Amino acid sequence: VDPFIGTGGHGHTYPGAIVPFGMMQLSPDTRLDGWDGCSGYHYSDSVIYGFTHTHLSGTGCSDYGDILLMPVLGNATTDPKKYASSFSHKNEKATAGYYSVKFDNGINVELSATTRAGIHKYTFPDSENAFVVLDLVHRDKVLESALNVIGNKRISGMRRSEAWAKDQHVYFVAEFSQPFAKWEIDEAGVKKTMQKESRSSQIKAC
């Protein structure tokens, strides 16, 4: 099985992890827009913006790309142009139900999926400035979104968006293996430190 087949040219496929009839299509996003970026990934690209949990394969219509997570080194930011990471295809691997990539900055990412969940494993190089970005604004026009911080290892939220599907609802819960000591929510450019609840059409967090 070669999940990279169709990810170049006008193939519109993605290489990420999925199980048959699974609700999650966990895959890297290398493009923010454009017809050839309908699946979120194009083999000619050399930058990854993050990993989203829903993707369309081979449709030629742009949609999905919901709930982006991205491991980052350096100063905390929710700007896609700053948190995106470069990579090489020689450090990328995809097989049935599994995807991995090692960024040029040393972060190693492994993805897998179950019928109803996406599983991320991030291995960071030694650093005092390592964090994870959550971007609910990524790609589609967002009509409504919400984020709740539950304790120091769990978050939940939702996103209602419009693209090919006119009123798409996605709800999620994310459980982290390590506790987070601090966080920052970005509501349409207004940063709120340690806030536990947010409802807006423009939510990002790190």
Side-chain angles (χ1 to χ4, degrees), residues 71-82:
V72 182
L73 292 175
N75 296 324
T77 178
T78 54
D79 182 345
K81 294 180 180 178
K82 294 181 180 179

Side-chain angles (χ1 to χ4, degrees), residues 51-53 64-70 78 80 83 133-148 155-162 168 170-174 185-187 198-206:
F51 306 93
T52 56
H53 292 75
Y64 286 14
D66 297 292
I67 322 300
L68 180 142
L69 291 174
M70 178 63 169
T78 54
Y83 68 63
V133 170
L134 168 70
D135 191 339
L136 300 182
V137 183
H138 180 68
R139 287 183 67 91
D140 293 349
K141 178 183 177 181
V142 180
L143 304 175
E144 177 188 8
S145 60
L147 176 64
N148 302 295
I155 61 174
S156 68
M158 60 83 66
R159 172 170 123 141
R160 186 166 67 90
S161 62
E162 178 180 295
Q168 179 197 355
V170 175
Y171 299 86
F172 70 94
V173 173
I185 296 176
D186 183 330
E187 293 182 358
S198 179
R199 184 170 292 274
S200 167
S201 62
Q202 301 285 309
I203 296 177
K204 301 179 183 182
C206 61

